[in-house]
């Protein structure tokens, strides 16, 4: 019985050690994103020409954090979400980009994939949904 408790305590500790992110909060001006980690907080990296963040999320196991990166647009007075960014172990970044804006996203498949919706900025138009594996970016469903 005592051995079982020790093993359970070790497994529990290992799960906590794997949790890299506990939460994410966008600054009031949307220009920075703060990630809560076991060591405290860290600021998420920005991509070249990125001006703001939106829609942050963290997987239930704390292994990945994600957000939408917003960029200036020649045709709007506000930045638009063009890239879904997912940060994992060792601060490695996976980018999911397309020709249209990304308006919604979430983690799926127990935190191993992302699902997102892209569409035109204004007016009626087709919406495009994709599910991609985080590890290698491969398309799982569309």
């Amino acid at each position: 019985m005592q051995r079982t408790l020790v093993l359970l305590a070790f497994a529990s500790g290992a799960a906590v050690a794997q949790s890299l992110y506990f939460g994410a909060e966008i600054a009031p001006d949307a220009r920075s994103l703060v990630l809560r980690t076991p060591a405290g907080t860290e600021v998420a990296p920005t991509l070249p020409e990125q001006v703001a963040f939106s829609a942050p999320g963290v997987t239930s196991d704390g292994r990945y954090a994600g957000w939408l990166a917003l960029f200036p647009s020649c045709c709007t007075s506000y930045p638009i979400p063009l890239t879904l960014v997912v940060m994992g172990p060792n601060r490695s970044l996976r980018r999911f980009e397309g020709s249209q804006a990304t308006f919604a996203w979430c983690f799926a498949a127990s935190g191993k994939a992302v699902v997102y919706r892209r569409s035109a900025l204004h007016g009626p138009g087709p919406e495009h949904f994709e599910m991609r594996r985080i590890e290698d970016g491969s398309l799982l469903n569309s």
Side-chain angles (χ1 to χ4, degrees):
M1 170 95 173
Q2 195 172 24
R3 182 175 181 201
T4 303
L5 290 176
V6 170
L7 288 175
L8 285 174
F10 178 78
S12 234
V16 170
Q18 289 297 327
S19 294
L20 302 175
Y21 308 106
F22 296 122
E25 185 176 321
I26 296 175
D29 65 1
R31 293 178 187 238
S32 63
L33 174 69
V34 176
L35 302 169
R36 290 189 310 258
T37 69
T41 61
E42 66 179 80
V43 177
T46 56
L47 302 178
E49 299 182 36
Q50 178 184 346
V51 296
F53 292 84
S54 72
V58 175
T59 56
S60 60
D61 65 1
R63 200 173 146 90
Y64 293 101
W67 59 86
L68 294 177
L70 282 66
F71 296 88
S73 171
C74 67
C75 308
T76 63
S77 60
Y78 52 87
I80 56 175
L82 293 177
T83 304
L84 168 58
V85 180
V86 176
M87 187 163 73
N90 303 321
R91 292 184 56 91
S92 59
L93 298 180
R94 170 74 58 197
R95 299 175 193 180
F96 300 93
E97 301 170 306
S99 60
Q100 294 184 315
T102 303
F103 287 107
W105 77 278
C106 65
F107 287 108
S110 299
K112 294 182 178 152
V114 290
V115 175
Y116 50 86
R117 176 178 60 92
R118 291 203 170 112
S119 64
L121 277 179
H122 300 283
E127 294 183 326
H128 180 74
F129 293 85
E130 287 186 355
M131 180 179 194
R132 291 192 174 265
R133 186 177 12 243
I134 295 170
E135 184 178 293
D136 58 10
S138 54
L139 183 64
L140 300 174
N141 203 344
S142 70

